[in-house]
Amino acid sequence: MTKTAHDSPSVRLTSEGIRIDGKPEILLCASLFYFRIPRVYWKERMEQLISCGYNCIDVYFPWNYHEVSCGEWEFSGEKDAGEFLRLAADLGLWVVARPGPYICSEWDGGGLPAYLFAESDVLLRDNNPAFLAHVSRWFGQILPILQKYQAGAGGTVICMQLDNELDFYDCRDPKGYISALRDLARGYGIQVPLIACAGQGGLIQASGLAKDVIPTCNFYPDRLDSDLEEKVLHYHTVIGEMGYPLLVTETNRDHFLLRRLLSCGTKLLGPYLQVSGTDFGFTNSTNNWGAPLAFLTSDYDFAGMVSPEGHLREEASEARLLGRLIAAYGSALAESQPVVPLTVSLEGDSGSHMIGPFGLQLSGGGLLLFLSSLCDRDKEIAVCAHGERYPREGTFKLKKGCSVALPVLVPLQSWNIEGTLLYATAELFMAKLNERTTALAFHTDSRAEIALKLQLLHYEAPEHVKVETNEDSLVLSIDVGKFPEITAIELELLSGQVLKIFIMNRMKALSFDGFDGNGLTLKSTASSNIIPASIPSVDWTVQPLDAGRSMAEESPINCRRADFLEKSGILRGYAWYETTIKSVSQECIEGFLIRQASDVVSLYAGGVYAGTVVPGGSSAYVALNDARMTNDRFAARVEVWGHSNFDDARLPGLRLNAMKGLSGAAAITAVKDISRNWKVYRAGDRKLQGGLTDTVCDDRLWPVVNFGGWLSPDHPAFEYYRRTFKADQQADSWTVHFSGMQAHARLYVNGQDAGDVSPFDPYVDITPYIIPGSTVTLAVFLERVFGLPAGKVVVYEGTEAVHWTITATEEQGLWKHAESFRDRSKTTALPLSVAPGDMVWLYSSLKDAGNVGRSWRYRVNGSHLKLTALLDGRVIGRLWLPGGGVRPVMTGGSPDSFYVPGLWLAGKDGKLSLLLEAVDRSEAGRIESIIVEPV
């Protein structure tokens, strides 16, 4: 008996499938994000998806995109989410709405407003009253919009997702949290089904199995994973027993993979990021796709079938083919169920790298067999099912890397024909009906054998088609490899109906444009997307800047100690920390230590550039080397590249609640390498952790070795290392750095627990435990895997910087600064060189004359530069060109180009301002060329 999930007036989900307004549906669902695509292109992107066979879109709604600061909401212009949903409804696209509160999506903070991170009583993504109170404010803004456009109320929103991949996060009470979100959603009038997706298969951890919330799955396998179907069928069974269909809300963009998911009974196929986009403004995130740190590029493109500029890529043809296959079988496929076990076998070359057959029992009768090749060569096979062999003699070809769905014993009533499609060794991928005629289109790359049981009156077929008939059936045979043109066969039935069969090879099926009243219309989908256009003439002017000075006009924030930006209400953009160093003689300063710093921090000591670091939320020491402070001013310029969109404990800056800027800085007067002459005690196991930290513990007979230098037979090895050093009487800041350590350690200072040390955050501030001028005892409990280094131990001693001012600016402030210098800029030519640590504005203008509506891509060839591009007041791209040791991994799209949307230029001068920062201490930044490409 079918169990029934939550029913809305229009949407019903059961273990059989999805019904919308009473009609069974399979949802081919592409992610389409209004916040990454200019509003003028929203409708065009939707129409492109429809042309590719998609009937559904999923869309996130980023909380921090609409709440730009606490209590300040924006829902107009580019942020008009209601207009986006209205367009989807007008075009008939179903919508899976994903308002979070957390969305991930490689977006700044996963959509969570960064001011939340500074609130000590807020426990993110949990059943926490303080957090849920904020979520209620967000839901109070976005859910009335979703309610207005939900199915049954004039729109096409068919379900709403609560949070996102919660099983990746350490939620203490997933059931309570998801239940609370459910209650908020229902309270705001959301009647459509509610879902919660599992990112790594943890249905309980992702949804809490909360009542009235449907668990869904996100799968990101290798397309050639030979065990994929086994995994998917497991979840189909488990979720089906709960009374729900299998909905794959995210997966890879490859339609070969989507076919494999379909073969397991999946009712929603959600390839993530089929439509690429751009992170305009300061909306990028930091991410754990590096080692572990990565910066997401402004170009948000995972090679989906629609490029950021809106061009259809080759995969669009595969999308059309799959979409037409789903539409051809309609309700019968939408309410089909996997057949397990399947009593179907293969003959011929069906050994390794062959997946299937997997079968779907079609609603109303018949079977759809899926065969998939993981091989790098074609295979010749035959199918044995129900006591029959298909084809009756010989084999048919399964192309390398392809998946096909073959019909067996399928009633023709679905297509208004009395009879049965007994079998076919070609894929039925399209059907069209009118009052008297039914047209069915098949494709294959070898021998097509199609057997039909029907009452035949007359047929017309070309000579190269072999037709065998008896009283109530016929078999059509054609070698498509020998006759590559489209073959048409017309069957006139005793009922007066006409059945037209079209057979073609796969390449023609990919470019097949459908039926009309007279037969076929073909249109190639491989035509160029590039329309010839004149390349604009670009003239450049340049204006040097005082790189160590703030660009902000707002009044500074004064504080005794440096602290994170979010605590001062600074959530994105650039910030400047400034102070003076007066407590020590400037000749004594060897460098600066900055604490818990991120994302991009450039230091200026006495007006001299000291270097740029990307600590990822850890600390960092920057030596002055030969530079000398010419005055006592110290400044740190910080760019918030973006808050982490994930939660990864390996690096402080990758925690979901990680804040930006600095938590402090010290002028370092002594760098003490204390790696030698540690006393060591073999602990044997973890039981002694914390037991030998007392300074009076007798260690006179402990061996004296270098730190980590004891050769132990234990695996892993547990050891105590102890050492003393003398703290300077004039200093007030001490930090221990375990440089190069590949182990886990816990540090004790004068018998007090100073905390854990990890390879990704190897700095420990020990100032609270030290009396100036005293002897300090360090004890380290070291846990090492055999062969991994313990590294060096360095103490940074100095004076804490106090009495700071903090200033900041975002998009509009940067633009105002750029415009204030534009008239002073001087003509320049490329190549252009920028001295280490320097900044310049580089200006040009892109007029739209003669290229109305034309879009452009600017490709920047250069090195050792960070670049922020602004167009008429908007940040349209941030790049970090190759070169230097501090550049992080850049991922997510093109790292060396930015996109200029053509319709944003209409009627404007197209003022372009590029902020160039030379961020390598030893090499000048350089732009060799900027190539402007029409797109």
Side-chain angles (χ1 to χ4, degrees):
M1 179 179 176
T2 300
K3 300 177 183 178
T4 303
H6 174 79
D7 289 346
S8 78
S10 295
V11 185
R12 183 170 181 261
L13 274 67
T14 72
S15 56
E16 288 184 348
I18 304 168
R19 283 181 175 255
I20 305 174
D21 294 328
K23 181 185 176 184
E25 298 278 2
I26 285 182
L27 300 177
L28 191 52
C29 179
S31 43
L32 177 61
F33 302 142
Y34 66 98
F35 46 91
R36 286 183 166 123
I37 297 168
R39 176 174 173 161
V40 290
Y41 299 123
W42 289 351
K43 183 178 180 182
E44 176 187 282
R45 297 296 188 273
M46 292 180 186
E47 290 173 336
Q48 286 175 310
L49 287 175
I50 292 170
S51 75
C52 292
Y54 280 72
N55 59 358
C56 183
I57 57 174
D58 77 85
V59 54
Y60 287 123
F61 298 86
W63 179 357
N64 60 4
Y65 184 62
H66 294 285
E67 190 179 23
V68 293
S69 62
C70 189
E72 181 183 352
W73 300 95
E74 294 181 358
F75 282 94
S76 61
E78 297 290 329
K79 300 184 178 185
D80 193 341
E83 172 64 11
F84 181 84
L85 293 175
R86 185 194 67 80
L87 287 171
D90 287 351
L91 294 171
L93 275 172
W94 305 118
V95 177
V96 176
R98 309 171 85 178
Y102 163 82
I103 66 168
C104 189
S105 193
E106 294 73 54
W107 182 264
D108 176 41
L112 296 172
Y115 66 78
L116 294 175
F117 308 158
E119 297 188 10
S120 58
D121 60 339
V122 168
L123 183 62
L124 300 175
R125 302 179 69 194
D126 218 322
N127 191 18
N128 168 258
F131 178 60
L132 289 170
H134 284 291
V135 174
S136 182
R137 293 189 307 102
W138 161 235
F139 275 14
Q141 295 287 328
I142 191 62
L143 295 197
I145 298 173
L146 300 186
Q147 189 274 338
K148 178 180 178 181
Y149 289 101
Q150 66 184 333
T156 51
V157 174
I158 56 168
C159 63
M160 181 183 124
Q161 180 174 292
L162 304 176
D163 207 81
N164 187 80
E165 297 186 330
L166 188 61
D167 55 327
F168 278 122
Y169 190 72
D170 186 24
C171 178
R172 301 176 185 179
D173 182 12
K175 183 174 183 178
Y177 174 49
I178 294 297
S179 297
L181 297 182
R182 173 203 62 204
D183 294 345
L184 285 172
R186 296 296 184 224
Y188 282 108
I190 301 300
Q191 297 183 354
V192 295
L194 303 174
I195 64 175
C197 68
Q200 55 181 344
L203 301 182
I204 296 175
Q205 296 83 353
S207 71
L209 299 185
K211 183 181 178 182
D212 199 24
V213 177
I214 301 167
T216 72
C217 294
N218 294 353
F219 296 131
Y220 284 100
D222 186 314
R223 74 189 299 271
L224 301 181
D225 180 356
S226 60
D227 297 318
L228 172 64
E229 284 81 0
E230 179 184 359
K231 176 180 179 179
V232 178
L233 286 169
H234 164 78
Y235 282 97
H236 181 278
T237 299
V238 170
I239 293 175
E241 290 171 350
M242 299 178 189
Y244 308 134
L246 176 60
L247 309 178
V248 177
T249 33
E250 289 183 28
T251 190
N252 295 328
R253 295 153 294 283
D254 178 68
H255 288 83
F256 171 81
L257 180 67
L258 296 181
R259 285 170 170 264
R260 297 180 64 186
L261 293 173
L262 179 63
S263 76
C264 299
T266 304
K267 304 305 182 184
L268 183 149
L269 299 163
Y272 185 79
L273 202 63
Q274 284 292 34
V275 184
S276 304
T278 305
D279 287 334
F280 299 110
F282 291 98
T283 60
N284 315 55
S285 73
T286 49
N287 191 276
N288 64 349
W289 292 349
L293 181 66
F295 281 10
L296 267 295
T297 58
S298 296
D299 198 55
Y300 190 62
D301 183 13
F302 301 156
M305 69 183 186
V306 183
S307 76
E309 303 87 2
H311 301 323
L312 291 179
R313 290 169 169 156
E314 186 176 352
E315 193 67 24
S317 297
E318 295 288 349
R320 290 191 185 95
L321 198 60
L322 178 58
R324 286 169 171 171
L325 167 71
I326 292 171
Y329 287 95
S331 297
L333 181 57
E335 293 194 329
S336 64
Q337 292 295 312
V339 181
V340 181
L342 181 65
T343 57
V344 176
S345 61
L346 301 180
E347 291 183 1
D349 184 15
S350 59
S352 62
H353 301 99
M354 184 77 192
I355 300 299
F358 289 92
L360 290 177
Q361 183 67 50
L362 299 174
S363 174
L367 192 67
L368 202 56
L369 293 178
F370 287 81
L371 305 172
S372 303
S373 170
L374 309 184
C375 198
D376 58 1
R377 60 179 178 81
D378 299 343
K379 285 183 171 286
E380 293 288 340
I381 57 175
V383 176
C384 298
H386 304 101
E388 301 289 339
R389 185 183 189 277
Y390 320 130
R392 293 169 298 172
E393 297 180 359
T395 58
F396 66 94
K397 182 182 295 183
L398 180 61
K399 294 283 285 185
K400 61 183 180 181
C402 287
S403 177
V404 296
L406 304 180
V408 177
L409 299 176
V410 177
L412 291 168
Q413 283 89 342
S414 298
W415 302 295
N416 285 346
I417 297 292
E418 290 296 323
T420 304
L421 175 53
L422 298 174
Y423 67 85
T425 63
E427 180 174 274
L428 168 61
F429 73 96
M430 196 168 185
K432 183 176 181 180
L433 291 65
N434 59 32
E435 184 177 347
R436 183 172 177 271
T437 303
T438 295
L440 302 178
F442 295 80
H443 74 80
T444 183
D445 280 303
S446 61
R447 183 182 175 190
E449 191 170 284
I450 302 171
L452 300 155
K453 182 178 181 180
L454 39 69
Q455 296 295 314
L456 180 64
L457 178 64
H458 175 72
Y459 71 85
E460 293 183 6
E463 291 184 357
H464 62 267
V465 178
K466 182 180 179 181
V467 182
E468 300 179 42
T469 64
N470 58 31
E471 292 181 357
D472 61 354
S473 65
L474 82 161
V475 177
L476 307 173
S477 300
I478 175 177
D479 190 337
V480 176
K482 295 180 180 178
F483 298 94
E485 297 306 314
I486 295 175
T487 297
I489 304 158
E490 185 170 311
L491 308 174
E492 186 177 351
L493 309 183
L494 287 173
S495 63
Q497 294 295 105
V498 174
L499 175 60
K500 291 185 176 180
I501 304 289
F502 297 94
I503 307 171
M504 64 196 76
N505 63 32
R506 193 171 188 277
M507 288 302 298
K508 281 191 167 53
L510 289 171
S511 60
F512 183 66
D513 198 46
F515 304 106
D516 61 20
N518 299 318
L520 296 179
T521 299
L522 285 175
K523 179 181 178 181
S524 172
T525 59
S527 59
S528 172
N529 289 294
I530 303 299
I531 302 171
S534 59
I535 305 298
S537 175
V538 180
D539 297 319
W540 298 101
T541 61
V542 66
Q543 174 60 41
L545 304 173
D546 182 349
R549 293 287 181 183
S550 172
M551 302 168 75
E553 290 190 341
E554 291 78 5
S555 298
I557 299 166
N558 297 302
C559 51
R560 175 172 172 76
R561 298 268 182 174
D563 209 343
F564 296 118
L565 297 173
E566 290 79 2
K567 293 185 178 181
S568 297
I570 301 166
L571 308 182
R572 58 190 67 86
Y574 282 82
W576 288 262
Y577 290 78
E578 297 181 79
T579 188
T580 55
I581 306 295
K582 294 183 177 180
S583 58
V584 294
S585 171
Q586 61 188 28
E587 285 77 19
C588 297
I589 298 177
E590 297 191 25
F592 288 89
L593 180 79
I594 53 174
R595 295 195 184 88
Q596 297 176 284
S598 61
D599 289 320
V600 187
V601 185
S602 296
L603 303 180
Y604 294 83
V608 178
Y609 177 59
T612 296
V613 290
V614 183
S618 182
S619 299
Y621 174 70
V622 179
L624 289 182
N625 289 345
D626 294 333
R628 288 290 180 262
M629 295 180 66
T630 57
N631 56 57
D632 55 9
R633 186 167 61 90
F634 173 76
R637 181 179 71 249
V638 175
E639 180 182 0
V640 180
W641 193 269
H643 297 85
S644 177
N645 66 281
F646 208 67
D647 188 65
D648 191 322
R650 291 179 295 168
L651 203 59
L654 290 178
R655 301 312 303 261
L656 189 58
N657 62 349
M659 291 183 280
K660 304 299 180 180
L662 316 174
S663 69
I668 302 303
T669 54
V671 179
K672 299 178 178 179
D673 186 341
I674 59 170
S675 302
R676 298 179 180 87
N677 296 346
W678 289 74
K679 296 178 179 180
V680 62
Y681 179 86
R682 179 184 171 192
D685 57 34
R686 290 190 182 92
K687 294 178 182 178
L688 276 179
Q689 183 170 340
L692 296 175
T693 61
D694 197 318
T695 56
V696 300
C697 176
D698 187 356
D699 59 9
R700 289 176 298 171
L701 294 180
W702 292 13
V704 178
V705 297
N706 291 345
F707 183 76
W710 183 255
L711 182 61
S712 173
D714 300 329
H715 181 68
F718 301 94
E719 299 150 354
Y720 263 108
Y721 288 85
R722 295 184 67 187
R723 194 191 193 284
T724 62
F725 74 91
K726 184 69 178 294
D728 188 275
Q729 182 69 45
Q730 303 301 316
D732 64 9
S733 173
W734 292 268
T735 299
V736 181
H737 180 201
F738 293 85
S739 174
M741 185 181 69
Q742 295 296 312
H744 179 264
R746 194 163 189 90
L747 176 64
Y748 301 85
V749 183
N750 293 332
Q752 299 182 69
D753 188 348
D756 283 329
V757 187
S758 80
F760 296 103
D761 188 18
Y763 292 84
V764 182
D765 182 5
I766 61 173
T767 304
Y769 312 103
I770 293 182
I771 299 172
S774 68
T775 297
V776 180
T777 299
L778 301 180
V780 181
F781 185 82
L782 189 65
E783 178 180 344
R784 280 193 301 156
V785 176
F786 181 73
L788 293 181
K792 295 169 54 179
V793 186
V794 176
V795 174
Y796 296 109
E797 187 174 64
T799 302
E800 189 71 19
V802 294
H803 303 300
W804 294 85
T805 62
I806 304 175
T807 54
T809 192
E810 295 185 25
E811 198 169 37
Q812 289 305 308
L814 277 182
W815 180 251
K816 189 173 182 180
H817 186 274
E819 286 296 283
S820 70
F821 283 95
R822 184 180 289 269
D823 291 341
R824 307 183 210 175
S825 62
K826 305 298 183 182
T827 300
T828 190
L830 304 183
L832 175 68
S833 184
V834 182
D838 281 2
M839 301 173 69
V840 303
W841 281 114
L842 185 64
Y843 301 105
S844 73
S845 178
L846 181 61
K847 295 183 182 296
D848 203 24
N851 292 298
V852 176
R854 193 74 225 187
S855 294
W856 310 92
R857 184 162 286 274
Y858 277 56
R859 297 201 177 275
V860 184
N861 300 311
S863 61
H864 300 94
L865 276 176
K866 193 160 64 63
L867 181 154
T868 302
L870 295 96
L871 174 70
D872 293 329
R874 302 181 188 187
V875 172
I876 58 172
R878 292 189 287 166
L879 313 180
W880 194 325
L881 303 180
V886 299
R887 180 181 185 258
V889 172
M890 305 298 294
T891 187
S894 171
D896 61 358
S897 70
F898 57 88
Y899 164 56
V900 180
L903 291 178
W904 278 2
L905 294 169
K908 299 180 180 179
D909 287 338
K911 290 183 178 179
L912 185 67
S913 300
L914 308 182
L915 180 62
L916 308 183
E917 305 170 57
V919 285
D920 188 279
R921 187 159 67 173
S922 59
E923 295 282 348
R926 187 170 173 83
I927 290 184
E928 302 294 342
S929 64
I930 299 178
I931 300 171
V932 185
E933 300 175 351
V935 293

